[in-house]
Amino acid sequence: MGIIIKKEMRHYFHDILLYIVASGLMLYCGFRFSNVFFSSEIVNIRTVFIEVSYILILFIPLLTMGSFASEKYNGTDRLLFSSAVYMHTVVWAKFFAVFFSYMFFCTMTLLFPMIMMLLSGIYWTELLLLYIGVLLLGGAVCAFGIFISSLSSHLFRALLVTMSGLFAWWMIDALLPYIGSLLFQRLFNIVSLFTRFSEFQSGLFSYSSMIYLLSVVLLFQLLTMQSLRIWRQRRS
Amino acid sequence: MLTVKNVSKHYGDTAALSGVSFHIKQGETTGIFGMKSAGKTTLLDIISGYLLRYTGNIEFCGINIKKQAAFCRKQIAYIPEGNKLFPEMSVREYMTFFCGINQVKGMQCRKAIDDELSFAGIYSLSEYPIRALNALDCARTAIAAALATSPKILLIDQPFYGLRMDEVRVHQVFLKAVAQRTTLVIASDSIAGFSDVCKQTLVLNKGRLVSNDGVNLFSMADTKARIRLRIACVPSQAKAAFQFIPGIRDIDFRSAPEQGVWDVLIDSENGEDIRKQIWFAAATAKVPVLEMRYLHISPEDMFLQLTGQNQGEDI
């Protein structure tokens, strides 16, 4: 598994696009942080980090789009799946490669709480819970993105569908209070990822949300394996 | 070493492979030839373990490849059409990655990579990015990486893909050297350039094996295996005259341009010279023979005949 993770991460960190997006992210974080910190009398760093966490999530489709789509497009999936590694090992390795890269970008944003800590003080527990939430939600989105990538052999299509999926998920969350039907409200509540994340945002550690998000990861990983299995059988 | 028994694979209603059976001996180089969509890649995909759903049975060293898939995949290296390398990697990085996914690690991996880079003659290119290599060096990189895992069988789909004519000649020599080291299975849609490499040839046409197991297309060609006879009598009379000649494999009648004249195509077993027997049989049965000659068939002609591409064959 290690060799595939290494290869994938190397691929991400050799891509100029990643650095451009990461620079944009840091620039935005810096701008928002300085805005909140210097222009308000009462500084609430949480609002900044909630914004940042959403941007971080939007960053994931860029990482996941090539996971399997590029392998299929280049035909290198034949190399991987005819080697001695099992398919589930490849799928998990791809997931961890994306997740570790995502973690790296999350870690970059820790610069701002550190500056705050030097200047005044910070509620570390609150921040820690927020980051746990960001990582768990990120994990679920990574698994979703990898699943979409496994369905397509075009990078841009995979990116577009993952983005649209995320937007739809977001919309579910936004529309939730306006839905009249109790049945639909319950149904939407079940599939809403961001509701689970909001518990971590408000500084609460919820086991049920954690298990839910981890289950989403597992579900999409299994779906990815299934979609790859079907792809291999249909390929001629 | 590898026994393929009655393997079939369907994509919906289309049969990619229908009841293909053959055996490959250890150290023997086998060429699988066929036109586009003949089922070559599907067959290699199945042997390599990439395709898992098919009917029939494949045994590798007596082990069913479905039952011990990971073990068999480690022993069988597969180079897909176009080599399929990772362009962003250097040659050494790619080889390390390929060894890694085939569970060859540490010192053993490093030594194997150095040995194979030298064997393939690309040691000086080891730190070059793959995207900077030409097609020949890419092909050598793919083979060197596969050999570094010490496979028992090496499957190569279209080994001359993307190569210029001069590069093909160079690569032919390299493939011959590779064939000395491992059991090689090559798939190609053209037989050109493989006469020195392949000991056994299998011809696929529309998913069916149309050549006999163990036959070499290259040694069969240009032998005295086929005789064309032009006779001036009805086919049944000639058939009755020739049917008891030993060594005849097949007799086929075709109408000749002249009226009442037929062309008889006689295939002898193992290229045996049966001209005298035919002459005596024809004389005894009073079959007027207007002409008798060998049909010199090149491997390419034979390949085209087997794959049904040579409709108006030159006889």
Side-chain angles (χ1 to χ4, degrees):
Chain A
M1 191 188 271
I3 192 113
I4 301 173
I5 296 177
K6 201 173 141 190
K7 175 228 156 208
E8 288 294 309
M9 289 188 70
R10 224 189 72 98
H11 176 67
Y12 295 137
F13 288 97
H14 272 75
D15 195 348
I16 187 82
L17 178 76
L18 198 97
Y19 289 98
I20 294 169
V21 176
S23 312
L25 172 80
M26 288 305 281
L27 211 67
Y28 178 81
C29 290
F31 171 73
R32 286 295 294 138
F33 177 77
S34 56
N35 217 10
V36 169
F37 200 78
F38 297 113
S39 61
S40 313
E41 282 180 22
I42 302 163
V43 178
N44 186 359
I45 195 77
R46 232 184 62 206
T47 53
V48 179
F49 280 105
I50 287 166
E51 269 180 47
V52 170
S53 60
Y54 282 115
I55 289 167
L56 276 168
I57 297 296
L58 285 176
F59 196 49
I60 295 172
L62 284 172
L63 296 172
T64 59
M65 65 178 178
S67 291
F68 284 105
S70 65
E71 303 280 6
K72 285 176 170 187
Y73 184 76
N74 297 323
T76 44
D77 60 319
R78 272 199 169 92
L79 273 186
L80 283 177
F81 297 129
S82 62
S83 70
V85 287
Y86 288 101
M87 189 168 69
H88 59 81
T89 312
V90 177
V91 173
W92 280 108
K94 295 260 182 187
F95 170 78
F96 284 122
V98 173
F99 188 67
F100 291 154
S101 306
Y102 170 70
M103 267 177 82
F104 173 79
F105 292 107
C106 289
T107 319
M108 269 170 50
T109 60
L110 276 172
L111 176 75
F112 303 106
M114 278 175 181
I115 295 170
M116 255 193 98
M117 193 184 71
L118 290 174
L119 296 173
S120 57
I122 197 161
Y123 290 112
W124 278 108
T125 336
E126 201 182 355
L127 194 76
L128 184 72
L129 282 171
L130 187 70
Y131 270 92
I132 289 172
V134 167
L135 290 179
L136 284 171
L137 179 69
V141 176
C142 286
F144 171 68
I146 289 172
F147 167 63
I148 298 295
S149 180
S150 75
L151 295 174
S152 174
S153 37
H154 297 276
L155 295 184
F156 190 67
R157 203 178 289 165
L159 174 73
L160 218 65
V161 176
T162 314
M163 284 283 197
S164 310
L166 273 182
F167 184 71
W169 244 321
W170 222 321
M171 287 308 290
I172 286 172
D173 206 42
L175 292 174
L176 210 55
Y178 306 103
I179 296 167
S181 161
L182 199 69
L183 180 77
F184 275 104
Q185 211 169 38
R186 276 187 184 168
L187 197 75
F188 277 28
N189 205 21
I190 290 171
V191 294
S192 171
L193 275 186
F194 293 93
T195 312
R196 266 73 191 187
F197 175 53
S198 59
E199 288 180 16
F200 290 98
Q201 278 179 353
S202 45
L204 293 168
F205 185 81
S206 160
Y207 277 108
S208 65
S209 296
M210 187 179 80
I211 291 166
Y212 177 88
L213 290 167
L214 289 176
S215 307
V216 171
V217 172
L218 196 66
L219 173 77
F220 280 115
Q221 288 293 89
L222 292 173
L223 286 173
T224 305
M225 286 175 216
Q226 195 55 33
S227 102
L228 289 171
R229 215 164 277 143
I230 293 168
W231 159 262
R232 279 168 71 179
Q233 296 321 312
R234 285 191 181 164
R235 187 169 182 167
S236 57
Chain B
M1 174 174 247
L2 186 83
T3 309
V4 175
K5 288 180 197 161
N6 207 21
V7 167
S8 300
K9 168 81 186 166
H10 287 77
Y11 293 108
D13 293 336
T14 315
L17 286 175
S18 307
V20 173
S21 303
F22 59 87
H23 179 76
I24 293 172
K25 291 178 201 146
Q26 189 168 4
E28 195 175 61
T29 303
T30 305
I32 300 172
F33 302 109
M35 293 293 166
K36 255 189 176 308
S37 309
K40 306 175 299 291
T41 303
T42 306
L43 186 57
L44 290 195
D45 280 348
I46 289 173
I47 298 171
S48 69
Y50 178 77
L51 283 182
L52 303 168
R53 275 194 199 160
Y54 55 89
T55 55
N57 193 20
I58 299 179
E59 282 181 5
F60 168 71
C61 299
I63 303 163
N64 187 324
I65 66 161
K66 259 186 194 170
K67 287 184 183 154
Q68 291 200 39
F71 170 77
C72 292
R73 284 202 300 258
K74 192 174 181 289
Q75 310 287 327
I76 302 172
Y78 180 29
I79 302 173
E81 182 181 343
N83 301 316
K84 309 299 180 201
L85 308 171
F86 296 101
E88 72 278 5
M89 287 184 178
S90 72
V91 171
R92 189 179 286 278
E93 279 166 353
Y94 171 74
M95 289 177 74
T96 310
F97 175 73
F98 195 86
C99 287
I101 58 172
N102 285 292
Q103 280 145 27
V104 180
K105 287 168 189 164
M107 272 302 288
Q108 188 198 351
C109 169
R110 277 191 289 274
K111 191 182 175 307
I113 289 171
D114 283 341
D115 291 348
E116 298 311 332
L117 281 169
S118 306
F119 173 72
I122 48 170
Y123 198 92
S124 58
L125 303 174
S126 62
E127 302 308 324
Y128 274 53
I130 287 168
R131 69 163 68 87
L133 302 183
N134 61 25
L136 181 65
D137 291 331
C138 281
R140 286 179 170 218
T141 302
I143 293 176
L147 288 176
T149 63
S150 310
K152 287 198 172 150
I153 294 187
L154 174 58
L155 313 172
I156 311 179
D157 195 4
Q158 308 280 13
F160 298 150
Y161 180 88
L163 299 184
R164 293 193 314 265
M165 277 311 289
D166 56 325
E167 290 175 333
V168 167
R169 277 186 212 111
V170 177
H171 201 47
Q172 250 174 305
V173 178
F174 180 58
L175 283 179
K176 271 175 82 176
V178 173
Q180 302 293 316
R181 293 187 44 189
T182 185
T183 308
L184 192 61
V185 179
I186 287 164
S188 175
D189 51 14
S190 162
I191 62 163
F194 294 107
S195 56
D196 292 343
V197 184
C198 297
K199 296 279 178 289
Q200 184 189 203
T201 53
L202 302 164
V203 181
L204 283 173
N205 187 29
K206 292 174 187 164
R208 289 181 184 280
L209 199 63
V210 288
S211 66
N212 293 332
D213 190 4
V215 165
N216 188 346
L217 210 64
F218 302 105
S219 59
M220 257 184 83
D222 274 336
T223 60
K224 295 160 182 171
R226 179 168 269 201
I227 294 166
R228 195 199 67 179
L229 219 61
R230 186 159 279 182
I231 54 163
C233 68
V234 288
S236 56
Q237 191 188 343
K239 201 166 187 178
F242 301 139
Q243 67 183 335
F244 299 112
I245 298 175
I248 288 188
R249 189 157 55 95
D250 190 34
I251 305 179
D252 190 21
F253 292 90
R254 297 183 185 188
S255 60
E258 295 167 70
Q259 203 170 2
V261 175
W262 290 81
D263 280 331
V264 190
L265 299 172
I266 301 174
D267 289 320
S268 70
E269 274 168 7
N270 311 318
E272 211 179 308
D273 185 0
I274 50 168
R275 285 175 301 170
K276 280 181 192 168
Q277 289 92 316
I278 290 171
W279 191 90
F280 282 119
T284 313
K286 292 185 176 156
V287 172
V289 177
L290 308 180
E291 192 184 315
M292 174 158 54
R293 69 178 171 99
Y294 282 127
L295 282 181
H296 291 284
I297 309 169
S298 67
E300 283 79 10
D301 288 336
M302 200 173 272
F303 172 63
L304 291 174
Q305 275 173 22
L306 286 168
T307 52
Q309 302 297 309
N310 204 358
Q311 297 298 328
E313 60 185 287
D314 176 33
I315 52 173

